[in-house]
Amino acid sequence: MLVICHRISQLLLMVLICLVAIPPSVHATEDWISFDEIVVTAARISETKKKLPASVTVIDQKEISQSVAENVAGLLEKNAGIKIVSQGSGAQSFLDLRGMGGDNPFGKVLVLLDGVRINNMDMSSINFLTIPVGDVERIEVVRGSMASLYGDSAIAGVINIISKTQGKGLSADASVITGSHGELNGKIMASYSCGTSTIRLCFEELESAGYRERAALSSQSTFISLVGEPLPGLSTSGRVSFNKMNYQMPGALTKGEMELNRRAYQPARPSYFTPAHDSDEALQDTLRANLQANYPFSEEGSINIDLAYAQKQIESDMASFATYTTTAQKTFTLMPRISWSGPLGGIPQRMVLGVDYYNEPFALEKFTSATRSVRASRADICRESTGWYLQEEVQAVPEKLFFSVGFRQEQADIAAKQLLIAAAETLYDTKKIHKAQAFDLGATFVGENGFKVFVKHSQAYRLPFIDEQVYYYGFASDQFLQDLEREKSRTIELGTQWSLFTSLFLEANVFRTDMEDEIVYNDAERRNENLDKTRHEGAELFISYDEGDFLRLRLKYSYHIAKFLDGIDKGKELPLVPNHQLTLSGEIALLPPSRNDLPFRLTLHPSCRFVDSSYLSGDRSNKGPRLDSYSVIDAVIFLRGKEATEKWRFFVGIENLLNTAYSTYGVAGTSWSPEVYYPMPKRTFKIGVNLPF
């Protein structure tokens, strides 16, 4: 560990010295490094980054267009330095922000699509493949607690995926990406704008045989959006999207099995009485629709209303567990809010007051076979929540010193009923009410030359997933855990940002989050419990350097340490929390400035990710082996139009250039399973083209 710390410290010092030593160019621009950038996620209204008591990362359209990532998770990993964990296929991956660790860190990160929550109510992670990358305009990542504004799950941060809406006249483009392991990704997009109205259409299809056996994936996405101003002052936007996906689940491998063939599916293990994963697969249909309206009732205030509906159905055939299920989840969302900015007693201020209502019915049917001709059980669950919030910002010193305070009150009802059909027995028919509060206090000072420092204290919460609160998989032992409570957290963080000159931007943050009543599975009791308190501490460093069209660099480093504060594991580290993570990416012009007369640009986009070792999932006692650290280097060469308005491009890329054998996820051995891992792809190649027409 000391060797790793020493190497990383040396690397950071060398990069910083090199950047400071490079003189600022008169040609440098602030397109890539924008201190006054407008964001919407951190305040639920448009606000400049410099005023916010938070660390905000924006993945803009330029970065998205220059990425070869086939899904949003890839964009977050490579462009925002967020840890992405894979469990066998692109449809089975989840994210971890600020080293939350454990078995469900994604439950402590809120993910929004155009401001509407898309987190699942059960423990399944978000399937980012259902969101076409070609439809994404930008992604805003806010690190730190945002529960006073957003409620459930916003403990480690909020990620808002913002769709494209605007266009100019009639335009269309198509792109094709092909690569190793039978990957083929095609997109067709078209838009038409007239006056204040824009209509957009998109179709995207992804096919892949997968790196491993039984890891094939097929995904088709379609969406249509319409933006306009039907009445003077009233702006509206609507969007409907549909995704159909088939994917296989290859399972996990032991180290010995990976040495024989790391691309194999999980074999039969007679000593553990488990069959092979040679036919595990799932079919998922996802429908999302939303309507947003904004009406400014005065120069200082406006009313916003968001309506959304989502529907997801999954047919899962887990032959390896003799489990065949069909789940149907629906989400109805209503989010009205009012915002007002203006002087109050002569002091500039901004206020947001709103209500979030969610109604989420969920049904699961279990069948005796893949034919689904005989039902074994049925469970019906509904989570209904209502939360109101108030956020206030005051400019104590105009454009210099800002204070903010936020409060939220929320109630969530979880009602469940399960029937064992063969026995005609109702196992439970009951409900649980969770009441939760959140608050935050923040202060931000803005100085000269892009200098900013902020401090923030917050209290947040996470409601139990329904399959943490309720066991509903058709066994006689299934139950409703009335004593399972919500998780609670308190966070204090301090951060600073500084533009040393127009080319160099630095950001540093430190934080501490104390968790209470964390929900974990107690293997001895065979049930979920609120167990030990934990503490998550860390530091983050971001460096951006922009030397015009010649050189652009980004470095993201984070240090995380998460430990149990009490209980039998007091002083032990939480599983799946790497102490160090480092991401370095850039853009390098391959043609000299003297060839600026050419009608195209040729650029190299290298990136490197380092993730430190961590304890395996389930190893709370820290007695087992660790998940190995790994470094992955990618490189892409782009040929594209010289002007930003020219959308044609061609690229050739190599991912995992050094052919590293690594895993992002592993599980400690138990009485029913050996220690296992999910191997990631080794060296892969990609080639793609995008053409307007």
Side-chain angles (χ1 to χ4, degrees):
M1 179 62 69
L2 291 176
V3 174
I4 293 175
C5 293
H6 179 65
R7 289 179 179 176
I8 291 178
S9 299
Q10 284 184 324
L11 175 61
L12 291 175
L13 182 60
M14 286 189 294
V15 171
L16 186 60
I17 291 174
C18 291
L19 292 179
V20 173
I22 299 176
S25 169
V26 295
H27 301 292
T29 68
E30 297 186 49
D31 293 339
W32 205 53
I33 308 170
S34 180
F35 190 64
D36 291 321
E37 189 169 18
I38 301 294
V39 295
V40 297
T41 308
R44 294 190 81 155
I45 60 173
S46 298
E47 183 63 283
T48 57
K49 289 170 58 176
K50 68 180 182 181
K51 298 180 181 180
L52 300 169
S55 171
V56 182
T57 299
V58 177
I59 305 174
D60 60 20
Q61 181 55 213
K62 185 172 186 177
E63 292 179 89
I64 295 172
S65 66
Q66 295 176 358
S67 172
V68 298
E70 69 271 8
N71 57 59
V72 171
L75 287 172
L76 292 170
E77 180 179 45
K78 296 177 181 179
N79 295 78
I82 295 176
K83 180 187 175 187
I84 301 296
V85 177
S86 175
Q87 293 179 306
S89 73
Q92 295 177 288
S93 59
F94 60 86
L95 52 85
D96 186 354
L97 189 62
R98 282 196 162 177
M100 288 292 108
D103 295 325
N104 54 8
F106 52 89
K108 301 178 180 68
V109 182
L110 180 63
V111 181
L112 310 172
L113 179 59
D114 295 321
V116 177
R117 186 179 71 193
I118 60 173
N119 292 59
N120 295 317
M121 61 190 298
D122 61 357
M123 289 184 67
S124 62
S125 59
I126 297 169
N127 188 344
F128 288 103
L129 292 177
T130 63
I131 305 171
V133 173
D135 183 35
V136 178
E137 175 66 26
R138 56 195 271 127
I139 302 174
E140 297 179 1
V141 180
V142 184
R143 291 173 170 81
S145 172
M146 297 294 294
S148 62
L149 273 175
Y150 292 100
D152 180 33
S153 297
I155 291 177
V158 176
I159 298 171
N160 192 8
I161 305 163
I162 301 172
S163 304
K164 294 179 179 178
T165 56
Q166 300 301 320
K168 293 183 178 180
L170 177 62
S171 64
D173 62 271
S175 65
V176 176
I177 299 175
T178 186
S180 304
H181 316 304
E183 179 181 339
L184 180 62
N185 188 354
K187 308 171 191 175
I188 298 177
M189 298 190 64
S191 67
Y192 175 71
S193 298
C194 181
T196 60
S197 300
T198 299
I199 184 171
R200 296 182 61 85
L201 299 168
C202 176
F203 175 77
E204 179 175 348
E205 182 164 2
L206 171 65
E207 300 284 341
S208 174
Y211 170 69
R212 297 175 58 194
E213 300 170 357
R214 295 290 307 166
L217 171 72
S218 174
S219 173
Q220 299 85 37
S221 299
T222 305
F223 85 86
I224 180 172
S225 66
L226 178 63
V227 177
E229 190 174 318
L231 297 173
L234 176 63
S235 58
T236 61
S237 64
R239 185 178 186 276
V240 178
S241 65
F242 177 75
N243 174 269
K244 186 177 185 66
M245 182 179 302
N246 293 277
Y247 58 92
Q248 298 173 333
M249 295 173 280
L253 301 175
T254 65
K255 284 190 174 181
E257 292 164 351
M258 285 194 295
E259 290 177 359
L260 291 175
N261 182 8
R262 62 182 288 108
R263 300 181 63 176
Y265 58 79
Q266 181 174 319
R269 299 182 181 127
S271 59
Y272 290 93
F273 306 100
T274 56
H277 285 226
D278 56 356
S279 56
D280 291 356
E281 57 190 14
L283 169 65
Q284 176 176 325
D285 291 340
T286 305
L287 170 69
R288 294 190 179 101
N290 69 283
L291 176 65
Q292 299 174 321
N294 172 269
Y295 180 73
F297 58 83
S298 70
E299 292 184 359
E300 295 83 13
S302 65
I303 297 176
N304 292 77
I305 298 179
D306 291 355
L307 291 170
Y309 171 77
Q311 176 178 301
K312 181 177 70 173
Q313 180 170 304
I314 301 177
E315 293 184 3
S316 177
D317 293 343
M318 297 288 292
S320 60
F321 290 97
T323 302
Y324 308 92
T325 61
T326 298
T327 60
Q329 176 181 340
K330 300 178 181 178
T331 302
F332 303 89
T333 305
L334 173 63
M335 299 189 300
R337 66 183 181 275
I338 182 172
S339 59
W340 186 79
S341 300
L344 182 65
I347 300 177
Q349 63 86 45
R350 174 182 54 79
M351 178 270 292
V352 181
L353 174 65
V355 176
D356 296 334
Y357 171 78
Y358 293 93
N359 186 289
E360 301 172 283
F362 176 96
L364 180 141
E365 291 183 309
K366 184 178 180 181
F367 299 87
T368 58
S369 68
T371 62
R372 286 172 167 74
S373 57
V374 179
R375 291 192 305 168
S377 67
R378 179 182 173 91
D380 290 282
I381 304 169
C382 184
R383 185 171 72 175
E384 184 177 23
S385 63
T386 304
W388 70 268
Y389 59 91
L390 174 65
Q391 189 81 15
E392 176 77 17
E393 177 194 276
V394 176
Q395 295 189 37
V397 179
E399 301 302 322
K400 289 291 184 182
L401 183 60
F402 303 84
F403 293 105
S404 65
V405 58
F407 179 79
R408 185 185 186 92
Q409 177 77 35
E410 184 166 353
Q411 176 173 312
D413 300 354
I414 300 178
K417 178 180 180 179
Q418 179 167 250
L419 173 67
L420 295 182
I421 295 175
E425 177 186 0
T426 300
L427 291 181
Y428 48 76
D429 186 359
T430 186
K431 68 184 298 184
K432 169 80 173 182
I433 298 177
H434 293 276
K435 295 183 178 180
Q437 301 82 33
F439 73 85
D440 67 69
L441 298 169
T444 306
F445 173 76
V446 179
E448 301 296 331
N449 300 321
F451 176 77
K452 162 187 168 179
V453 62
F454 71 87
V455 62
K456 184 178 180 180
H457 174 64
S458 55
Q459 173 181 291
Y461 57 89
R462 181 181 78 83
L463 300 173
F465 291 115
I466 58 170
D467 43 355
E468 290 177 324
Q469 191 92 64
V470 188
Y471 295 162
Y472 49 73
Y473 283 97
F475 301 106
S477 58
D478 287 353
Q479 58 182 312
F480 191 110
L481 302 180
Q482 283 283 355
D483 59 344
L484 195 70
E485 301 295 337
R486 72 187 188 279
E487 296 181 349
K488 299 178 283 290
S489 73
R490 285 183 178 269
T491 299
I492 181 72
E493 58 184 308
L494 174 68
T496 184
Q497 299 175 6
W498 190 14
S499 293
L500 296 184
F501 37 81
T502 57
S503 302
L504 182 62
F505 178 79
L506 305 178
E507 178 180 346
N509 312 297
V510 293
F511 67 91
R512 169 184 286 180
T513 298
D514 286 337
M515 295 290 302
E516 185 176 348
D517 289 333
E518 282 207 81
I519 300 172
V520 297
Y521 183 75
N522 187 328
D523 186 54
E525 299 293 331
R526 295 284 195 260
R527 56 163 286 165
N528 293 317
E529 293 182 355
N530 296 109
L531 290 179
D532 309 323
K533 297 179 180 179
T534 62
R535 172 167 290 173
H536 306 254
E537 297 177 303
E540 300 159 334
L541 174 65
F542 308 106
I543 302 176
S544 297
Y545 180 78
D546 182 0
E547 187 67 16
D549 293 331
F550 173 69
L551 175 66
R552 293 175 177 175
L553 295 174
R554 275 190 176 181
L555 181 145
K556 306 174 187 70
Y557 167 75
S558 60
Y559 169 78
H560 299 134
I561 183 71
K563 291 186 176 183
F564 293 97
L565 295 181
D566 55 21
I568 60 174
D569 298 319
K570 182 178 180 180
K572 304 295 185 180
E573 291 189 37
L574 265 71
L576 298 177
V577 180
N579 295 136
H580 303 277
Q581 289 179 242
L582 177 67
T583 301
L584 179 63
S585 60
E587 175 184 344
I588 304 171
L590 297 180
L591 296 175
S594 60
R595 299 313 311 270
N596 197 41
D597 57 321
L598 295 174
F600 58 84
R601 294 191 65 212
L602 187 64
T603 55
L604 171 66
H605 297 251
S607 65
C608 175
R609 302 187 309 280
F610 168 78
V611 178
D612 199 4
S613 63
S614 62
Y615 289 101
L616 299 178
S617 174
D619 185 14
R620 295 192 293 273
S621 63
N622 297 173
K623 294 181 179 179
R626 296 172 69 94
L627 184 66
D628 292 337
S629 62
Y630 60 88
S631 298
V632 178
I633 297 176
D634 303 331
V636 184
I637 293 178
F638 273 95
L639 176 67
R640 61 181 185 271
K642 179 180 177 181
E643 303 299 330
T645 55
E646 298 181 85
K647 294 184 178 181
W648 71 269
R649 64 168 185 164
F650 173 81
F651 74 84
V652 177
I654 304 176
E655 296 183 329
N656 197 353
L657 180 66
L658 301 182
N659 211 29
T660 302
Y662 71 103
S663 299
T664 61
Y665 188 69
V667 182
T670 64
S671 58
W672 64 84
S673 174
E675 170 194 319
V676 293
Y677 301 84
Y678 291 85
M680 294 296 290
K682 298 182 77 173
R683 185 185 296 120
T684 59
F685 298 88
K686 288 185 178 182
I687 184 171
V689 62
N690 185 89
L691 296 173
F693 58 89

